[in-house]
Amino acid sequence: MIIERGKRAMRSPITFSRTAAEGFPHVMPGVLICITIALATTFIADHYGGPTLLYALLFGMSLHFLSEEGRCVAGIEFAARTILRFGVALLGVRITIEQVTSLGIGPIVTVVAGVVLTILMGALLARLMGLHRDMGLLTGGAVAICGASAALALSAVMPRGANSERNTILTVVGVTTLSTAAMVLYPLVVGVLSLTDQQAGVFLGGTIHDVAQVVGAGYMISEEAGDVSTFVKLMRVAMLVPVVMCFTFLFRHSEGHEGRSKVPRLPGFLVAFVVLVIINSLGAIPVSVADGMTDLSRWCLVTAIAALGIKTSFQKLAVVGWKPVILMVAETLFLLALVLVFILFGVVSI
């Protein structure tokens, strides 16, 4: 075994490039299908409104037969894993350390407490409802951090099981739908409670799941509320790093098949995410390049979600039942109540 690994490690660059070139046509059919879905759903969302990610999921599910056999299988798998991780890594260009520190201690405490307590609540509620703990951790992380992007990032480091793909799809569908509803309903809550623009920004940025919906809801109220909500949301996105690290350690430790002396390795996409945040904080990334990388990240995530949709059938999704849906609604309401308590009782005083 060691000799064989040594032979693979000593392959010449020519041999390695030849292997990569042979694999490229193998994955292209499936990748092109996923890219086509991403293009179609983006066009529909841009011209007729609605969440692009949800459209990509539904379009992908309608083509489930492509994942069962044929030339597209390898490419669909490649899009669901490799392209997904690349897209998550590129999220780092949207965050700087200065943006996080400019929020002050109140919003930071609110965001950290919201993320940690929502994930723990998700695990607890899952147990009480008879669901697996992993489902509660996945949905809790998605609700607490950044919706579909967090669900995809967390699922990438969680153990693979018979229902893992289905659970990921269900989580993405649920948080995307709830986030869209929150974008419409939460500004009404702001009006009822007569929150200031700064408080409204913390409330919207700390509770709505997806970045796009946070921006939309914030700027519905005012420019100041939109700016604050965006910064708070970026803080929640930044929490993706420690949470993924904790998940990596948790699941490697729980598997119990590795020696105690071995330190869990950080996923490559997580390391890339942190590096991009640091580089972006130093101002080394031009605005035009950052915008281009952000657009590329969005395209990668839409393509990956289309692939995950293809890998899941309506029939398999239907057998999940009502419990996971109730779980995500309960986690969303818990986060909503928690952030409001922090704001109304003076923890957030900006």
Side-chain angles (χ1 to χ4, degrees):
M1 178 67 70
I2 296 176
I3 295 175
E4 182 61 29
R5 288 180 180 175
K7 289 180 179 179
R8 288 199 298 265
M10 295 176 62
R11 288 186 302 178
S12 67
I14 297 176
T15 304
F16 181 80
S17 61
R18 184 184 299 118
T19 302
E22 291 173 354
F24 185 70
H26 187 57
V27 301
M28 276 308 296
V31 172
L32 287 175
I33 289 292
C34 297
I35 292 175
T36 301
I37 294 175
L39 290 169
T41 53
T42 300
F43 176 85
I44 293 173
D46 289 344
H47 288 77
Y48 300 101
T52 305
L53 297 179
L54 187 57
Y55 290 157
L57 279 171
L58 297 176
F59 275 51
M61 289 179 184
S62 67
L63 298 175
H64 171 68
F65 66 92
L66 294 175
S67 67
E68 296 177 344
E69 60 179 353
R71 298 175 58 192
C72 296
V73 175
I76 292 170
E77 291 287 344
F78 179 82
R81 294 187 64 82
T82 304
I83 294 179
L84 159 64
R85 295 182 178 219
F86 184 69
V88 171
L90 290 179
L91 288 173
V93 301
R94 296 159 60 169
I95 304 171
T96 64
I97 297 174
E98 182 181 1
Q99 287 175 329
V100 175
T101 57
S102 67
L103 297 174
I105 189 63
I108 292 176
V109 171
T110 302
V111 166
V112 173
V115 169
V116 173
L117 294 178
T118 301
I119 293 175
L120 294 177
M121 179 59 68
L124 175 62
L125 290 174
R127 286 292 183 89
L128 294 176
M129 297 174 67
L131 298 171
H132 197 279
R133 180 200 62 174
D134 292 0
M135 186 65 181
L137 292 173
L138 178 62
T139 56
V143 168
I145 304 174
C146 54
S149 299
L152 296 172
L154 295 175
S155 66
V157 298
M158 296 178 72
R160 313 297 293 180
N163 297 324
S164 59
E165 298 289 353
R166 185 190 67 184
N167 291 341
T168 301
I169 288 293
L170 178 65
T171 302
V172 172
V173 171
V175 296
T176 302
T177 304
L178 289 172
S179 184
T180 302
M183 182 179 66
V184 177
L185 297 176
Y186 284 12
L188 301 178
V189 176
V190 170
V192 170
L193 297 177
S194 300
L195 300 179
T196 66
D197 286 345
Q198 293 177 326
Q199 290 176 328
V202 174
F203 169 66
L204 297 174
T207 54
I208 299 179
H209 310 326
D210 290 321
V211 175
Q213 281 83 348
V214 168
V215 174
Y219 286 105
M220 264 186 219
I221 297 175
S222 69
E223 288 190 7
E224 184 178 7
D227 291 341
V228 175
S229 66
T230 300
F231 287 145
V232 173
K233 184 59 186 178
L234 289 175
M235 178 62 181
R236 287 172 67 194
V237 175
M239 288 293 292
L240 184 64
V241 176
V243 172
V244 170
M245 290 176 63
C246 291
F247 272 44
T248 301
F249 179 81
L250 171 66
F251 290 113
R252 284 186 180 274
H253 178 73
S254 63
E255 286 170 4
H257 61 268
E258 297 189 66
R260 293 183 179 180
S261 61
K262 292 187 177 181
V263 179
R265 294 182 300 172
L266 293 178
F269 74 91
L270 177 58
V271 175
F273 181 93
V274 175
V275 169
L276 285 175
V277 170
I278 295 174
I279 295 175
N280 193 37
S281 299
L282 296 174
I285 303 178
V287 176
S288 58
V289 175
D291 290 342
M293 294 175 72
T294 300
D295 290 339
L296 180 59
S297 173
R298 181 173 64 87
W299 281 107
C300 287
L301 293 178
V302 176
T303 301
I305 290 176
L308 289 174
I310 293 175
K311 295 177 66 175
T312 301
S313 66
F314 286 107
Q315 181 179 3
K316 292 180 180 178
L317 194 59
V319 301
V320 173
W322 57 269
K323 288 185 178 181
V325 177
I326 299 298
L327 174 63
M328 281 182 280
V329 172
E331 291 165 346
T332 299
L333 294 177
F334 172 80
L335 181 61
L336 168 69
L338 182 66
V339 173
L340 280 178
V341 167
F342 273 77
I343 292 174
L344 297 178
F345 284 86
V347 176
V348 179
S349 55
I350 55 175

